[in-house]
């Protein structure tokens, strides 16, 4: 068994199973020229992406790269997912992972570290 163990997760296999069904429905819709089956197959494919992402974010997916042998089995849950996996776009889409030290400005107020600039025609406080 490879140390990378890519895709051997509950999220990976569940997403693959749902996507396989969606592809079969989409293919049947294409062969039968049925708009309902084509739309249904596309809906199932979209659901497979969302289900896989939800399972990944709940710990049933694992980050890429080598992991310790104790984390190789498929039924082992990844408890480090709350902080986000490095270089994982799925975690970043959920607001996890590589966080930058950004400054959020409140509407109408200058952000911290920005000089206050007076608008034309307004009184400076």
């Amino acid at each position: 068994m490879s140390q990378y163990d890519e895709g051997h997760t509950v999220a990976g296999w569940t997403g693959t199973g749902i996507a396989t069904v969606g592809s079969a429905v989409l293919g049947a819709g294409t062969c039968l020229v049925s708009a309902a089956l084509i739309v249904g197959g596309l809906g199932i494919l979209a659901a497979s992406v969302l289900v896989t992402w939800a399972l990944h974010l709940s710990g049933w997916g694992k980050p890429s790269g080598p992991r310790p042998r104790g984390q190789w089995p498929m039924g082992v849950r990844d408890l480090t997912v709350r902080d986000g996996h490095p270089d994982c776009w799925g975690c970043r889409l959920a607001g996890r992972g590589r966080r930058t030290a950004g400054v959020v400005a409140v509407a109408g107020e200058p952000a911290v570290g920005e000089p206050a600039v007076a608008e034309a025609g307004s009184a400076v406080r």
Side-chain angles (χ1 to χ4, degrees), residues 6-104:
E6 299 283 343
H8 297 125
T9 63
V10 173
W13 282 106
T14 303
T16 300
I18 296 171
T20 301
V21 171
S23 296
V25 171
L26 182 61
T30 303
C31 291
L32 298 173
V33 190
S34 169
L37 286 177
I38 291 173
V39 171
L42 290 173
I44 294 170
L45 286 173
S48 75
V49 171
L50 296 176
V51 167
T52 304
W53 187 35
L55 286 171
H56 173 77
L57 293 176
S58 64
W60 293 110
K62 298 176 185 172
S64 59
R67 290 181 296 277
R69 187 175 288 274
Q71 293 182 1
W72 285 5
M74 188 168 92
V76 175
R77 194 164 183 189
D78 180 17
L79 301 177
T80 64
V81 74
R82 284 185 183 230
D83 298 327
H85 300 125
D87 298 325
C88 175
W89 62 269
C91 288
R92 273 193 250 145
L93 282 174
R96 301 176 184 179
R98 192 187 313 172
R99 292 192 173 99
T100 59
V103 177
V104 177

